[in-house]
Amino acid sequence: MSTAELLKGAAELFPDEVVTQAHVRHLDLPQGAGRFALITLDNGLDHTKPTTFGPQSLGNLNVAIDQVEAEAANGEIVGVGITGKPFIFAVGADLKGVELLKRHEDALAIGKGGHDVFKRLSSLAVPTFAYYNGAAMGGGVEVGLHCSYRTVSAALPAFSLPEVFLGLVPGWGGCTILPNLIGADRAVKVVIENSLNQNKQLKGAQVHELGIADAIFEGADFLEQSLIWTASVLRGELAVDRPEIDRGAAWDQAVARGRAVADGKVHGAAPAAYRALDIIEAARNGDLQQGFDAEDQALADLIMGGELRSGIYAFNLVQKRGKRPAGAPDKNLARPVSKVGVVGAGLMASQLALLFLRRLEVPVVLTDIDQERVDKGVGYVHAEIDKLLLKGRVNQDKANRLKALVTGSLDKAAAFGDADFVIEAVFEEMGVKQKVFAEVEAVVPAHAILATNTSSLSVTEMASKLQHPERVVGFHFFNPVAVLPLLEIVRGAKTDDASLATAFGVAKKLKKTAVLCKDAPAFVVNRILTRFMGEIQNVIDEGTPVATAEKAIEPLGLPMSPLVLLELVGPAIGLHVSETLNGAFPERFTVSENLAAVVKAGKRGFYVYDSGKPELDPEVAALLVQGDTVLTEEQVRARVLDAVAQEIGLMLDEGVVAEAQDIDLCLITGAGWPFHLGGITPYLDREGVSERVNGKRFLEPGVASVPA
């Protein structure tokens, strides 16, 4: 079957594709270097709708290559270039089309179709040039790899091969060409390491440093300078030197390092990284076609697997649902926020002050019980701004302006008298928070929002003694505030729409992923994690060795083990949340006497790191009182997953969030749970846990799974 026929068949499966055109225009290169054909990829929409490759788009590029191939063969042109519309080169395969595929042979056709089109660029009778003018990802990067030469814009903000992050492999040449171009170690960094590091993006300068691009030019006249450079190359005035690739031990070491990175991130739980590494390993012999065939096969296998469907589902949650929160009131009800108050000046409060300051750029004032604490809080914010200045993230003027906007005060009336939004970050104790809110309500304007950063206490109860409980809203951040995107916005029993809309408006300006939660104990993330951790703690208390309990969870590929997470959260906070939930749901949430003993002893966690690796602290081991029931890893895992599935089912029945999708969005953005799990509910569905525990799936068949 011809490439055109292959793509026509694929296009019929995907009628709603946003089609990219491949416009060919001709120009005379500088210095009399000759007539040149330039292909521009453009879907006709602005930069907010990036250019992608679906079957019709690949077909259009194929037709454009037909034209330039004939011109090259006839001696009418001296070279061919490919570039993108303003700010966007191309961001890869259209994932909406991938979701629709139901058969292995259709998935294979997509891989083969991309290869068949792209590799024609390397077999033209004239040299080919890719001009990475803007964002380039996945297939956008790969189409350029098939060209003879590449330039990159210094202004390029994002360049990556994100496929492994989603549960795929770079399947249109990335696994095969890249190591042959820049060496296996650098290829492993781009394909495996960056991808599994929350889809880390490269900037233009890094693309050039890695050797992916042969030259770099400023964004303002990028195409003009690229064409001058092209002319010099074609006239033979400029030779592009590329280092010789080490195909010996260095290649083996790179692949081994990649496997170690994959093991550290996904613990063998998701296949994509390992498939990519197998292809990189085999690419050492330089046989590109053999590599392309392996990419096709891996792509088809992974497209028909649950991890990719979960990955796409998770990606869509973050990119789409996360930007349009379910249940949020009309945004037009939101009131403007031109001054922010923060009650407390400890670490959490100081992190919040810094975030509000950087994102809203309005006056922020901190209060606390003594001047020393206030000064320390303001000092923390100033020091963080100085760090941004040193890194070049802000200039001196901006740094001075931001520092001038943050102040501290012991007098709440003076501090908050004209504030529009006041958030408390004081000790997690109901009486303390009620007292603080009573003091704040007495001095703030009538329109001001009172927000609480509580992680587990009732927002309704906190507001119950106020004259205006309708303006109290839960605004729960996750630590570290600058890193984790989730913001649980909690509606109390009397919270009104205007206050809620203002909270969502502020969340958007803070660039946070906001999820609306009902005022239920511990909201979403802490409730699920506490049930999860509680079950781990239970099996340890009953007699299962700590190492077995920890290892049981490895197949999920979570970012860290349960007890390392407990260390990060802090055992005292973990104990406090478990006590809160035990008070609400004593039949499901236990309070571990062993954990209480660890907290009482002042231990920061279960482990010591003397050897660089976590080892059970002998002092903690001496504190543990265990029963004699020893479970296997499989039994532990089943028990933990059953508990989590039960809790999520109950939360959905209670209406804590609108849908299972919101649970997943919370776990991905608030707890760093992996994309290949889809958060958690697709995994529970896939493993049969949902039906075993609740008698039904969380998601409809075909959502985060291969359609029937």
Side-chain angles (χ1 to χ4, degrees), residues 80-92:
V80 174
I82 186 164
T83 193
K85 66 183 184 181
F87 309 110
I88 304 286
F89 182 77
V91 298

Side-chain angles (χ1 to χ4, degrees), residues 191-256:
V191 174
I192 306 295
E193 201 169 358
N194 288 359
S195 221
L196 291 178
N197 190 7
Q198 292 299 313
N199 191 19
K200 186 179 178 187
Q201 300 293 320
L202 297 168
K203 300 271 193 281
Q206 294 165 301
V207 175
H208 182 236
E209 282 160 24
L210 284 167
I212 300 171
D214 302 304
I216 183 167
F217 302 108
E218 289 303 319
D221 57 351
F222 169 69
L223 189 57
E224 185 185 344
Q225 292 301 322
S226 291
L227 291 170
I228 292 169
W229 181 85
T230 298
S232 299
V233 170
L234 290 173
R235 285 163 58 94
E237 295 162 2
L238 193 93
V240 173
D241 291 322
R242 295 190 184 126
E244 196 169 323
I245 302 301
D246 186 334
R247 298 180 187 277
W251 199 288
D252 292 331
Q253 286 161 7
V255 172

Side-chain angles (χ1 to χ4, degrees), residues 516-557:
L516 179 62
C517 309
K518 184 180 169 183
D519 187 18
F523 319 127
V524 179
V525 172
N526 283 341
R527 180 161 163 187
I528 293 169
L529 289 186
T530 304
R531 185 77 199 274
F532 172 82
M533 304 278 285
E535 216 49 58
I536 294 281
Q537 196 72 57
N538 287 343
V539 301
I540 292 171
D541 293 354
E542 290 163 17
T544 299
V546 169
T548 304
E550 288 269 83
K551 207 162 183 327
I553 304 305
E554 279 190 2
L556 274 73

